[in-house]
Amino acid sequence: MAWSHALSALGGAGAALAYDRLNRAGAGELARRSGSTIASPLAAPWVTDFLSAAYFAKPRADRDVDDLRLAFMILTTHANRAPSGRVGAGDIPAFHRAFGTARLAGTGGRTGTLDRHHLLEGGGTLLGGWFPAAATDWERTGWGIAFPTVADRLAHDPERRLAAAKVGPLTPPSLPEDAQVWHTYPPVEVPDAAATAEAVLAVEHWPDYASDLGRFTPLRRGGLDGQTFEIEVIGFPTPRTPIFLRAYVTIDNLVTSADPAARDAWVDDVRAGFARRPDEADPLPNGAELVAGFDLVCHEGHFMGNAKNRLMLYTHQDRSYLRAGGSWDPMEWHLSGLYDRLGRFSQHAFWGMEAPRQSMLHQVAAQVERLQSVAASASA
């Protein structure tokens, strides 16, 4: 067994240290939200170690968010094939057989890391020879899972994962609007409004828009309206030791240009809320036309507390943009401390204020560009 796998199997001192730091910061309840529904508690250390091998432990110049998404897909696909729907400590030998030699060779640039070629090759060894081709096939992927055939994807029930989640009641902001915190994030340009709307409405592909700060996985049957997502947020309490926290949001008030009356009412409500906070910019500039918009409402246990975000796809001066704007009640002290330490930067970066690799909105734009390029090549 590779040392990296053996050490991770012993319990993960880095994860224990991070848990202790979260508790000392007054966030014991939040620390219990660590991990993912696809990994058992005993598997969490080596799962974190595997994701680090694909991305976080690599030299910065060698990191590619596609590799992180691929590593997540390998784990999620393996979990989906397990009777329990989770990976466990007993899966370590199979992962070592598939990836151990390449990790010892340091194919990702350092000992213990993996490059994309060996992630795909190891995925084929672990899951089957169909995996490398399926992993890059839009029609055979969904919910962060690769499927042998399109029929297998169509037969998948995402609510299997919902059964393992702890989804509490919705907790939107409850204080008067002038007592809430409001914030507008910068717009992120996207290549085409119609293609971006199609991508956003394809809820099963939201894991394909993951950044290196987090990913959204849909948990319910059906489309975007009323959809509940498990969010896996990645933090870094210690160097090279990512900690995964999970939370849940549900989509509410989906409006599109197909229903102008509902769309315009939603826009008026958003603008009225931000107008009460003159220190924050209106997320929709004058002359902008909303193509689609919706609220992401937090559930109990979310690290933002009572909160909701609004995501907007709009056109302005012949260009198209995605933009987020949120509001939340002032946080309780234990959430506020963690937010100041870790959350503020991650929240701002995830919605577009920092590097594209950190932003889901930038990753949506990049995925739309890829799909357009594939379609253009196919028609040439």
Side-chain angles (χ1 to χ4, degrees), residues 246-265:
R246 71 179 186 274
Y248 300 93
V249 297
T250 287
I251 303 298
D252 190 24
N253 294 329
L254 172 64
V255 297
T256 70
S257 53
D259 186 346
R263 177 199 61 185
D264 294 346

Side-chain angles (χ1 to χ4, degrees), residues 128-145:
W130 56 268
F131 177 79
T136 57
D137 184 348
W138 190 257
E139 298 301 321
R140 286 192 284 165
T141 56
W143 303 277
I145 301 166

Side-chain angles (χ1 to χ4, degrees), residues 7 19 30 39 65 67 74 95 103 144-145 158 171 183 202 207 234 242 244 247 263 270 282 347:
L7 290 172
Y19 181 93
L30 195 61
V65 181
D67 294 346
I74 290 167
F95 271 75
R103 291 194 62 179
I145 301 166
T171 56
H183 189 69
I234 304 165
F244 296 86
R263 177 199 61 185
V270 170
D282 186 332
Q347 179 195 23

Side-chain angles (χ1 to χ4, degrees), residues 24-319:
R24 286 190 284 110
E29 179 183 351
L30 195 61
R32 288 190 291 274
R33 283 284 189 181
S34 62
S36 167
T37 54
I38 65 164
S40 72
L42 290 177
W46 74 259
V47 166
T48 299
D49 179 69
F50 178 70
L51 295 171
S52 291
Y55 186 82
F56 301 105
K58 289 181 180 179
R60 188 169 295 275
D62 295 335
R63 296 178 191 174
D64 188 327
V65 181
D66 276 343
D67 294 346
L68 178 60
R69 287 190 285 255
L70 177 57
F72 263 122
M73 181 176 287
I74 290 167
L75 289 164
T76 308
T77 303
H78 190 68
N80 184 60
R81 290 154 62 92
S84 66
R86 309 173 92 182
V87 293
D91 292 307
I92 293 175
F95 271 75
H96 171 62
R97 286 192 295 272
F99 303 101
T101 300
R103 291 194 62 179
L104 281 174
T107 60
R110 287 179 179 152
T111 301
T113 61
L114 290 160
D115 63 10
R116 184 170 184 81
H117 169 76
H118 288 93
L119 282 166
L120 287 167
E121 184 177 72
T125 300
L126 179 72
L127 300 164
W130 56 268
F131 177 79
T136 57
D137 184 348
W138 190 257
E139 298 301 321
R140 286 192 284 165
T141 56
W143 303 277
I145 301 166
F147 297 92
T149 68
V150 174
D152 290 323
R153 181 184 69 82
L154 294 174
H156 176 70
D157 182 3
E159 297 199 5
R160 183 186 186 202
R161 182 164 175 168
L162 176 64
K166 294 182 174 67
V167 181
L170 291 168
T171 56
S174 59
L175 296 178
E177 288 188 345
D178 58 1
Q180 297 172 23
V181 179
W182 293 72
H183 189 69
T184 304
Y185 305 92
V188 172
E189 188 167 4
V190 294
D192 178 83
T196 302
E198 184 178 351
V200 171
L201 291 170
V203 293
E204 70 275 17
H205 284 290
W206 275 47
D208 298 317
Y209 315 139
S211 76
D212 72 4
L213 290 176
R215 71 170 185 165
F216 281 62
T217 302
L219 300 178
R220 299 189 187 279
R221 305 180 190 97
L224 185 61
D225 199 14
Q227 182 62 245
T228 298
F229 290 90
E230 179 172 296
I231 313 170
E232 293 157 296
V233 175
I234 304 165
F236 298 88
T238 58
R240 291 180 59 186
T241 307
I243 296 300
F244 296 86
L245 301 174
R246 71 179 186 274
Y248 300 93
V249 297
T250 287
I251 303 298
D252 190 24
N253 294 329
L254 172 64
V255 297
T256 70
S257 53
D259 186 346
R263 177 199 61 185
D264 294 346
W266 188 85
V267 169
D268 289 345
D269 183 64
V270 170
R271 283 185 163 150
F274 279 93
R276 296 185 183 94
R277 298 303 301 263
D279 53 319
E280 286 293 335
D282 186 332
L284 286 166
N286 289 332
E289 181 177 354
L290 187 77
V291 177
F294 51 83
D295 303 337
L296 298 100
V297 184
C298 296
H299 285 262
E300 184 179 66
H302 194 286
F303 27 80
M304 291 295 294
N306 296 342
K308 69 177 178 180
N309 207 9
R310 300 156 184 87
L311 195 64
M312 292 151 266
L313 170 63
Y314 65 90
T315 58
H316 185 236
Q317 297 179 349
D318 298 322
R319 298 167 79 172

